[in-house]
Amino acid sequence: MALMKREEWEGLVRDVDWTLSYADDDAVFPEWQSGTGKIPRGAWSAWEESYKISYPEYVSVQAEKEAAAFAVKAALQRSTIFSSLDEGWKSCAKLHFGAVSLAEYTAFMAEARMARFGLAGPWRNMAVLGALDEIRHCQLSLFFAHEFVSKDPQYDWALKAFHTNDWAIVSARSLFDAMMVAGNVVDTAIQLPLVFETGFTNLQFVGLASDALASGDINFANMISSVQTDEARHAQQGGPTLELLMKHDPVRAQWIVDKMFWLSARVFAVLTGPAMDYYTPLDHRKQSYKEFMEEWIIGQFIRTLQDHGLKKPWYWDEFIEGLDIWHHSLHLGVWFWRQTVWWKPQAGVSKAERNWLNTKYPKWEDIYGPIWDQIIANVNCGNMQATRPDTVPWLCNACHLPLCTYTSSPDGKYRVRDFPLTHNNYTYHFCSKVCRQIWWEDRDMLHVRTIGERLLAGEIQPSDLSGVLQYMGLTPEVMGDDAYGYKWATDYRELLGPESSQPRPNSVGGGEGIPSEALSIPINAKFGDDFVMHVVVVNTSDTMAEVAQRVAYHSVGKRVRSQDRDMVVYYEGRAVADNESVSQVGIGPFQQIFVDYASDSRKGR
């Protein structure tokens, strides 16, 4: 056989299988793992990958790639490239290392499960090589990041991040666990290789490698390129699996693709959107995040849908609208809660950068300009406390990202909304109708509590922001801060007037007091045109005037301009009298309220 040409024997050995004689097929391939569902057992013999490779060929190719990757790394170890890299770009690398390194190991577990429970011999063989790929990717990411730990402890989070309860990791981990570990292998083959790798990471890695080269980070570009070529090969497991599922159970196929594309896009918006539109130095940006998504991700996804006879997801218009919104809101949230992440967020709103954003995103100035103007004013007048949070944002029970998604209203305004759902006497909160629908359909599998829920349940002590940071594993030397030390804000100093040189106190008082434990309840609250909803603790005896003060304390003078006007509380779409108490109005724990200035209040904000 060793003397035969590969094409003479490969067709025979690639799909070697056998009929079990001393064990039941159902015991070896249980339904809850194999997930064949409506696909007949015999139909799996038609499974065929488009690109075939033998194990000797695989080893030869991988050895060459390993040698090339480590040769470049060794050559650069003696250089001074790291010290010359832009801080914004370093944040891109730290974010990637922390969010992806151990996700690669989770992908190994997914590939290993497909190698064990896949119902076709060729699929199992392909998955074995995929498992080896993912181990390699994990090792590469950890090894390349480790070199910089002595220079910057934030790089240590390449290994540490997934062992913490940082909110960003909780979000990523909930996605990857659902995608790679929780489901059967048929679902996994569609969710991971097809939707996530073919639809997102393969193309994103190509762009990331290009951006790394443009930023001068040859080492990172070299590593990413080496990983991407593996992904492109083993990602093909999804296509043949989807073909069989579409033939026998198209409804299931459509649902798997729809839900995983949405959840992947949500996490992509926080992992990739800010990196492309805010962290990458302006001179090195080749296209915006929206342009990248439209040209590469959407085009690829639509072709996949058409090739397999799938329909566009029911939420398609909302997803397209989100390309103008999601990552800007999430970036603003990451920057304001920068102490809660392991990288240094670059604000990315200098005058030149702001002009670029307005060119790429025509709605940006109307939605985000006033919020950044208030932050800039606080920075330039030395009121740094007003640029940091005193509470935590309310997080979505499906994607675990902050409730900060602007959506269009009938009057043309964009507003942040909450989409609650009460189930078994418990109110869950969601950033969108789509997340709410996904959670409802898969509610028996989605049990990860948000950081806010853990805080309110007493798991986090002390029950304040310092306790949250400790719970997340963040120490002072690792906590994020502005990448450029706020120097970008000096662009705007001349616009603020003479009073800007003096610190200004927060314009709203009375929010500091915490009500007695016996009478306090947590609520979900948002003020005016602020971009995010907060966890706010109120007393059941508080009047609505006092509740308004407590809510405003976390927004007014921080991200919303202070105004000399009365405030109004809205509950269940109606304005509530100032002298009514929380208990009289009937506001309970986890309920949602809106607060706004009286003459600018709108029903249902």
Side-chain angles (χ1 to χ4, degrees), residues 264-315:
S264 298
R266 289 293 294 154
V267 171
F268 218 61
V270 71
L271 297 182
T272 303
M276 294 188 71
D277 281 356
Y278 292 91
Y279 301 169
T280 300
L282 186 58
D283 293 342
H284 300 149
R285 296 178 197 172
K286 295 181 174 61
Q287 59 183 171
S288 69
Y289 173 69
K290 178 183 178 181
E291 290 168 340
F292 168 77
M293 292 290 287
E294 289 176 336
E295 181 178 354
W296 297 102
I297 305 301
I298 293 175
Q300 170 78 19
F301 184 64
I302 292 297
R303 286 192 295 272
T304 299
L305 295 179
Q306 293 172 342
D307 290 346
H308 294 283
L310 289 160
K311 302 174 184 176
K312 282 184 181 180
W314 82 92
Y315 53 72

Side-chain angles (χ1 to χ4, degrees), residues 91-151:
S91 291
C92 292
K94 294 172 192 175
L95 171 56
H96 175 88
F97 281 129
V100 173
S101 295
L102 291 193
E104 300 281 14
Y105 185 78
T106 309
F108 153 72
M109 290 190 285
E111 295 284 351
R113 289 175 59 245
M114 290 188 285
R116 168 60 181 84
F117 295 105
L119 290 172
W123 180 11
R124 294 194 295 270
N125 287 335
M126 180 61 66
V128 168
L129 303 185
L132 295 175
D133 287 341
E134 301 297 1
I135 291 176
R136 174 176 178 264
H137 302 167
C138 178
Q139 292 173 336
L140 275 176
S141 298
L142 293 176
F143 187 63
F144 274 62
H146 182 71
E147 176 185 349
F148 306 119
V149 172
S150 61
K151 302 173 183 178

